[in-house]
Amino acid sequence: MSLPEPSYELKPTPTTGQRIRTYFGWYGQLDGTERRTFWACFSGWMLDAMDVQVYAVLIPTLLAVWHLTKGQAGVLGTSALIVSSIGGWGAGILADRYGRVRVLQVTVLWFAFFSLAAALCQDYTQLLVARSLQGLGFGGEWAAGAALMSETIRPAFRGRAVGVVAGSYSVGYGIAAVCGTIILLVLPPDLAWRTLFGIGLLPALLVFFVRRYVGESRVFLAGQANRAKSGTAFLEIFAPAMLVRTILCAALTAGALGGNYVMLTWLPTYLKLERGLSVSHAGIFLFVNIAGSFLGHMTSAHLSDAIGRRNTFLLMSGCSILTVLSYTLLPLDPVLVFLIGIPLGFFTSGIVTNIGAWFAEFYPTRMRGSGQGFAYNFGRGFGSVVPSVVGFASESMHLGSAMAICAGSAYGLVFLSALALPETKGQKLSD
């Protein structure tokens, strides 16, 4: 007796468009309030990133035009980041008292104004002051925006939505790299750097959108009555029950941003001075690295909701160490430098993607802005010193070696901090 032939149903191979719709299918399930908040925060972070990374693109030009040392260039990069830690903590406290949206508007305007002021500076000291004051708005924008996003987006999609917004940093960096490459090729150096800083006025336009279309989070509004009676509780983040968690969050941020800032600040200079690339070739290498960064943000955001916040940080930090050491220490030919730029950007950017979502789940509403603002920005303050250390260290060793030591150590700190923190995937925000 012969057996019937088995039948196989051949399923059509999904098209690229179908894969993209599946990958971002969660976005279609967001309501109008969630979408407007998403795009307001995405645009704000993207434009802020553009302004910040314009400086990284301009470092070689400023070294030549103003005859700066690498140490002075590192201080200019670090100053804005250190002051941003103060702005972030202060904005977090104000956001807990006056609301996330109102503080978001103020910080965006502040950042745009001092970006324009940087374009009008006449010497190193003036630029140092303008860049430092610009940092207040940069840090404050993250603190208010992260709390607003975390409270507005439902728990099932929080990791992906907040992570994709973090990925807008790569978009802003890409705009800075493209604009910087074009303007530096077209305009004389003395005019080019002023033009690029002047573009930083663009984020001010975002305030009109926020004022009209973005409302305060319902989680924040629901707890207003309780806060009116008891007041905001920013000092509670140092209470015995929260202190260890706050310290670990600050340490994790210090490592993630310290390593990230090393690459963001010094990579354009490393490609030009140590790899000998021209302005146009360095721009192409940066674009590949930025493309990897964007993919890293998107992938890390999805991993956060799939395998958990903690496991994603462990994976990203371990791979960041390997790629940074390979990129900066191995005698690679230009083709390999070009190719490794993709995983380098992927992991060193993916490691910072989920900070906002994870930290929001550690703190109740009455101290969420304060807790996120302090932990993120205290860590940012320490992390922001690392580019300066690289600048001074590179005066007695190769720039690549200084980058490897500082960034590798920073990512090791992330790994250890993530091991000690609890998993919170899918957790509802508490009041």
Side-chain angles (χ1 to χ4, degrees):
M1 180 178 177
S2 60
L3 297 174
E5 290 290 327
S7 61
Y8 299 96
E9 182 182 353
L10 296 177
K11 296 181 179 180
T13 303
T15 64
T16 301
Q18 289 172 330
R19 290 193 185 99
I20 293 174
R21 284 192 293 272
T22 300
Y23 194 71
F24 290 103
W26 58 270
Y27 177 79
Q29 300 180 56
L30 300 181
D31 61 30
T33 299
E34 290 173 315
R35 290 188 184 188
R36 288 191 295 272
T37 302
F38 172 87
W39 284 113
C41 294
F42 186 99
S43 303
W45 194 235
M46 176 189 72
L47 293 170
D48 282 1
M50 178 192 72
D51 286 359
V52 170
Q53 290 310 125
V54 155
Y55 174 70
V57 174
L58 285 175
I59 287 179
T61 301
L62 293 175
L63 288 173
V65 171
W66 281 4
H67 308 291
L68 303 179
T69 66
K70 291 179 184 175
Q72 288 177 313
V75 169
L76 276 174
T78 295
S79 65
L81 298 174
I82 288 178
V83 176
S84 73
S85 66
I86 301 171
W89 188 19
I93 295 171
L94 292 175
D96 282 342
R97 181 179 295 272
Y98 300 109
R100 288 50 165 128
V101 172
R102 189 180 303 178
V103 174
L104 179 64
Q105 294 170 357
V106 172
T107 56
V108 169
L109 284 175
W110 181 283
F111 186 88
F113 174 81
F114 282 101
S115 182
L116 178 62
L120 304 176
C121 291
Q122 301 299 316
D123 56 38
Y124 174 79
T125 302
Q126 291 179 7
L127 184 58
L128 180 63
V129 172
R131 289 275 304 170
S132 299
L133 292 174
Q134 187 184 28
L136 285 175
F138 178 61
E141 193 272 341
W142 185 92
L148 178 64
M149 275 284 294
S150 299
E151 292 174 353
T152 302
I153 306 297
R154 67 195 73 175
F157 305 138
R158 185 183 300 131
R160 277 165 283 186
V162 177
V164 170
V165 167
S168 67
Y169 197 102
S170 297
V171 179
Y173 190 6
I175 295 172
V178 171
C179 291
T181 301
I182 294 173
I183 290 175
L184 287 170
L185 289 173
V186 173
L187 297 178
D190 214 18
L191 180 60
W193 73 265
R194 294 187 185 277
T195 302
L196 284 169
F197 277 140
I199 292 174
L201 191 62
L202 288 176
L205 301 176
L206 178 66
V207 172
F208 297 103
F209 175 83
V210 174
R211 285 181 64 86
R212 181 162 185 174
Y213 297 108
V214 180
E216 191 56 76
S217 78
R218 283 173 286 195
V219 173
F220 177 83
L221 293 175
Q224 267 189 323
N226 291 333
R227 285 190 302 274
K229 295 177 182 178
S230 60
T232 52
F234 69 92
L235 291 180
E236 279 191 56
I237 65 174
F238 305 114
M242 302 298 299
L243 181 59
V244 172
R245 186 168 294 186
T246 298
I247 291 173
L248 288 172
C249 288
L252 184 144
T253 307
L257 295 183
N260 193 249
Y261 289 156
V262 167
M263 306 313 296
L264 291 175
T265 302
W266 288 109
L267 188 58
T269 306
Y270 171 78
L271 290 172
K272 292 176 184 178
L273 299 185
E274 297 224 349
R275 294 293 180 176
L277 300 180
S278 65
V279 171
S280 58
H281 285 147
I284 294 172
F285 276 55
L286 279 178
F287 182 79
V288 169
N289 177 258
I290 293 164
S293 297
F294 183 75
L295 292 174
H297 281 301
M298 299 303 104
T299 304
S300 182
H302 282 73
L303 284 176
S304 174
D305 282 338
I307 66 174
R309 315 329 189 190
R310 186 170 176 266
N311 288 335
T312 302
F313 272 100
L314 293 175
L315 174 65
M316 290 291 166
S317 58
C319 292
S320 292
I321 294 172
L322 292 176
T323 52
V324 166
L325 297 183
S326 300
Y327 195 87
T328 56
L329 296 181
L330 296 181
L332 305 174
D333 61 47
V335 174
L336 286 176
V337 173
F338 181 83
L339 293 176
I340 295 178
I342 298 174
L344 177 73
F346 185 96
F347 293 115
T348 58
S349 293
I351 198 172
V352 303
T353 300
N354 301 300
I355 290 176
W358 206 15
F359 287 10
E361 293 160 351
F362 288 149
Y363 296 98
T365 303
R366 68 182 183 278
M367 64 174 92
R368 184 166 297 118
S370 302
Q372 282 185 289
F374 174 81
Y376 185 89
N377 288 288
F378 187 84
R380 174 190 270 167
F382 272 85
S384 64
V385 175
V386 184
S388 285
V389 174
V390 171
F392 287 110
S394 66
E395 295 179 0
S396 58
M397 67 173 70
H398 289 297
L399 177 59
S401 299
M403 292 168 67
I405 293 170
C406 293
S409 300
Y411 291 132
L413 179 60
V414 176
F415 190 91
L416 295 175
S417 300
L419 276 177
L421 285 166
E423 179 57 66
T424 59
K425 183 184 77 168
Q427 177 175 302
K428 292 184 177 180
L429 299 184
S430 65
D431 195 34

